[in-house]
Every structure is written in structure tokens, then in C-alpha cells.
Amino acid sequence: MAQIVQIILIFLLFSGCSQHQRKVTAPHNASRDIKKQIAMANESHTSPPPPLILPPAYQSLDPLSDRTITLTGESAPLSKLLYLIGKSAGLNLVIDNGVPAKMQTTLALKNASLKEALDAVMDISGCYYEIKGSILYVKRMKTETFIVPYVHMQTSSSTELGGDILGSAQSDSSGSSSGGGSSGETSVLGKRSLKYNNPEEANDFYAQLEDNVQKILSKEGRYTLNRYSGVLTVHDSKRRVDEVASLVESVMERTSKQILIEAKILEVELNQNHQYGIQWQRVLNNLSNNGKLTLSSTLGPQGAVAGVIHYTSDNWNAILSVLHNAGNVETLSNPRIKVLNGQSALLSSGKMVPFWEKEVEYTAVSSGGSNTVAVPQITYNRRDILDGITLGVTPVIMPDGKVMLNIVPINSSIEKIVDYKDEDGNTVARAPIINMKEVGTTVFSNDNEIVVIGGLIDTTEKKNIESVPFVDKIPGIGALFRNEQKSFEKREMVILLKINVVGQ
């Protein structure tokens, strides 16, 4: 009996130990499961959830999209064709008063979609349609509003280069013949001038737009244009309104383009090896063999140049190297400006020197009895002369992307001032002698190219005075201690214009 009791106790002891071991390992497994769940939750938070796509509440159905029609008509009234198309689409029909309902139309359609059929009929009749609910509206007259913004300005420019090189020299001649004599006057003219005229009326944007719209509209059409806000409202047949829309789109596309012009105006003091000017052609030919620099065209006498060069760093450095080899280079101006397509830009650099022009008018005044005395009235008018450089540029972008440039550079410098005196030795006027360098040309350039203008050479006189201080001021003998030498200096003006079409 005692042995049986001992066996039972031993059994219970082992069973209790096994249960205690299971209680110890259970929390360990649970913690591992919790950590795994937390890691999975963190991974799920790192990636965004897929977007939520909701089905549309409703979908509008086009009554003309999925239906076809077979229709044949010869000289059929427009109203009948519209009725058949509307009936096939399951739509009610409303025709406006301006629609030519009796217009005869001939067409043959087979299994054409209702939209194609209706568009063809609208195109022939010059009308348009709208679908509102279950009603098909057909109209002829249409009102549309366009926004045409533009800067309120009116520009004009006029340039005349050259002049009468012979001063209109005149000579008198007389002759005789049997029965009488005659006398005449012969003028020897040597006028060579180049005129560029850009009148103000041609640059009035809204006036030009109104003139074009008036030519497009029919007798029934009308329009209103608010220049302050740039709002254009047009009422006419659909065909005419579409023509106005095409005009406005083309005008805005052309006028909204811009050209960036980076100008560099240089003056080269020519050295002894380049007294006839920079030898552009020879230098360019040598460089073009290496594929670095090519010239498209030349202008003027030998050595003068006007052309375009594709812009690269090598080409730019080659141009500067040519200029520095020719002499000392001085930068006169270095402007950078954006210009609207077709608009003129004027760049000026220098100083304005005022001069006064004397104008005398005589007025007859009675001095008693029948005698009159001429009383002078003197007025002075101010004239300003630019001692510096002016550059006028008008770019026009062509349909193929090229840029046509009208370039007019003028360099004016006051060489000296001359006093004009009357018989009594009184100074009656002072006038400057102006040294002019000017050129006018029209060239074509591609985007990212350099326009080169050179060959504008002039000669200036320089005086070099060497003297002994104080002693050279003594009257009579001062000239013995003073040495004056004259020298002549040649300078060539070079203009470089880098062209970039903005947004192209």
C-alpha cells in the first residue's frame, strides 16, 4: 500500500513540473508574436495606402456619340436634314430665325455617326449647334469674347543715312542762238541716302486690330473693343467669328514672342599692321578651315563686314583674339535688352551737348508818317547733339524661326566747335563739327548666332605737346621751349549682337 502511495506522489510531482515548464515558455512565445505583429504594422505604415477611387455619381451621355445614320438628299432643305438628324438622335429641334432653313443641300451619308453628319451640315450652312438637355438648338449668329492684352504705347522711328556728298553744286550756263538768247541752271547732285521709316500709325496695335476685324465682319456683324482692358467682343455669324478667332490667335502668337539682344559695341585703335582696317576675310578664311568660324556674307568695300556667326565659346574667343591682334580694344557700350517681335529698340550711350541756334525775324514798325523801320526780334532755339553712340534694332521672327534684323548704328563725336562771326567780328553763332560713323543694314540670323558689323573706320588728329614748364608761357620766346607734333590715329568700330529667341 505504501508503495502505491509513493508511486502516485511521484507521478503528481512530474506532472506538476511539466505544467510549470509550459507556463514559463508560454510568455516567451507570446512576446515573439507581439514583436512580429508590431514590425508588420510598422511596415504597413511606411508604404502609402492605395488611392481611393470612387465610381462617378452619374455619367453624361452624348446622344450623338454611339449612333449612326444613313442619309441621302439632293437639293434638300436644310430644315428637313436637321429634323432627320434630330429624330435619329432622339432630340427635340429648335431652329433660330437667322438659320437659312430653306437652303438647298445635297449629301449622301452611309453609316456615318450622327456627330459627323451634324458637323458636316453645320460646316456647309455656316451655323453651329448646342445641346441642352433633350433639345438641339441650331443657330447662325454667335457672340464671342477675346482677351487681347497689349502695352498702351505708340512708337515711331525714322532714320536717314548718307546725304548729298557734292553739296548740290550748281553752275550757271548761258548760250545764244539765232533769233535770241537763253540762260539756264544746271545742278550737279551726288546724293546717296538710305531711309528707314517706321510710322506711328503702323505701330498702333489696337487701331490695326480694329481695322482687320472690320474687314472680316459682315454687314450684320458688330464688335466692341475696350482698349483699357484689351477685351474684344464680336457678334456675327459663326464663320466670321471663327475668322476673327483665328486672326486674334495668330496676332497674339506673333506679338508675344521676344528676342534677347546682347550687344557689344567696341572701338579698336588700329596698330601699324592694320591701318586699312581689320582683315576680317583673311582671318575668317583661315579659321573656317578649322571649323571654328564661318562668315555668311560681306557688305561694303574690301575689309568691311556684315554677317552672322554661330555662337560658341571658341567662336567668341576667336573674334576677341582677332580684335586684340588688330590693336587696343575699347568697349563703348555693352547693353542687354529684350524686344517684342516687330518692335523697335533704341540704345543710346554718351552725353548730350547743348547748342543754341539764333533766329532773327524783322518786323516793320511805323516811325511816323509813311516811314517804317525794321525792328529785329531775336529768339534762341536749343539743339542737343549726342556725343556718343546710338543703336536702333528692329527684330522680326520669321515663320521658319529665323530672325530678320534691321540694324542702324550711329556713332557721333564732336571734333571741334567753330565760331561764326559777322563783319564787325562779333560771334553770331557757334556750331560743332561732328565726326559721324553710321551704317544701316538688314540681315537674317538664326537663334543663338552673333551678328557682326565692322569696317567703320575714321581718322582723328591728335596733338602731342612737349614743353618746359613756366618758360613756355613767356611771350615771344615761349615758343622756343615748346614742341608740338601732330599725329593721326585710325579707329574701327565693331558691333557684335548675340541673338536669342526667348522660349524657342
Side-chain angles (χ1 to χ4, degrees), residues 357-363 374-381 422 427-429:
E357 184 182 69
K358 183 179 180 180
E359 184 177 345
V360 182
E361 293 183 359
Y362 292 91
T363 305
V375 178
Q377 293 182 350
I378 301 175
T379 58
Y380 292 91
N381 299 321
D422 58 10
T427 301
V428 295

Side-chain angles (χ1 to χ4, degrees), residues 97-368:
N97 291 331
V99 177
K102 297 182 179 181
M103 186 183 75
Q104 296 182 352
T105 307
T106 300
L107 75 166
L109 303 174
K110 183 178 181 181
N111 294 330
S113 67
L114 289 178
K115 180 174 176 54
E116 293 176 346
L118 188 56
D119 289 341
V121 174
M122 293 296 100
D123 185 59
I124 294 173
S125 63
C127 302
Y128 72 102
Y129 70 90
E130 294 177 349
I131 298 177
K132 297 181 180 179
S134 61
I135 301 177
L136 173 63
Y137 293 89
V138 179
K139 302 177 182 180
R140 177 173 171 268
M141 303 300 289
K142 184 179 183 181
T143 302
E144 191 167 343
T145 300
F146 306 93
I147 305 298
V148 191
Y150 202 75
V151 179
H152 300 274
M153 65 176 181
Q154 294 182 10
T155 61
S156 63
S157 61
S158 179
T159 305
E160 182 175 357
L161 307 178
D164 192 352
I165 58 177
L166 298 182
S168 297
Q170 295 182 353
S171 61
D172 294 335
S173 62
S174 61
S176 61
S177 60
S178 60
S182 63
S183 63
E185 185 179 90
T186 303
S187 297
V188 181
L189 301 178
K191 190 171 184 179
R192 179 68 176 178
S193 63
L194 182 63
K195 295 182 179 180
Y196 297 103
N197 188 22
N198 188 12
E200 183 176 339
E201 55 270 16
N203 293 284
D204 192 338
F205 177 80
Y206 286 118
Q208 294 288 331
L209 180 63
E210 283 189 85
D211 181 64
N212 294 336
V213 171
Q214 290 174 1
K215 293 179 179 179
I216 293 176
L217 295 182
S218 64
K219 296 180 179 180
E220 304 172 289
R222 61 182 185 272
Y223 77 95
T224 58
L225 174 62
N226 189 316
R227 296 192 177 203
Y228 181 78
S229 59
V231 177
L232 172 66
T233 303
V234 179
H235 177 78
D236 206 339
S237 64
K238 180 182 180 299
R239 186 168 296 168
R240 303 282 181 158
V241 173
D242 289 344
E243 291 182 15
V244 173
S246 178
L247 169 68
V248 171
E249 182 181 359
S250 299
V251 168
M252 294 308 300
E253 180 185 0
R254 297 286 298 168
T255 57
S256 61
K257 293 183 178 180
Q258 297 184 89
I259 299 95
L260 175 62
I261 300 176
E262 298 180 63
K264 187 176 287 292
I265 304 173
L266 309 172
E267 192 171 54
V268 183
E269 181 183 348
L270 300 174
N271 54 31
Q272 294 298 324
N273 296 328
H274 294 79
Q275 287 297 298
Y276 296 101
I278 300 173
Q279 300 175 3
W280 288 96
Q281 196 61 51
R282 188 177 70 180
V283 175
L284 297 180
N285 289 338
N286 292 337
L287 293 177
S288 62
N289 294 333
N290 298 329
K292 292 183 179 180
L293 198 61
T294 56
L295 183 67
S296 64
S297 61
T298 58
L299 177 68
Q302 184 177 5
V305 61
V308 293
I309 299 169
H310 184 69
Y311 176 78
T312 62
S313 60
D314 291 339
N315 288 355
W316 183 256
N317 293 332
I319 295 174
L320 296 180
S321 176
V322 169
L323 299 181
H324 284 288
N325 290 335
N328 297 326
V329 180
E330 179 184 357
T331 301
L332 301 181
S333 183
N334 192 22
R336 187 174 185 266
I337 190 173
K338 281 184 181 180
V339 188
L340 284 176
N341 183 28
Q343 293 294 322
S344 298
L346 184 64
L347 308 173
S348 297
S349 177
K351 59 182 178 180
M352 302 298 295
V353 181
F355 289 90
W356 297 93
E357 184 182 69
K358 183 179 180 180
E359 184 177 345
V360 182
E361 293 183 359
Y362 292 91
T363 305
V365 179
S366 177
S367 61

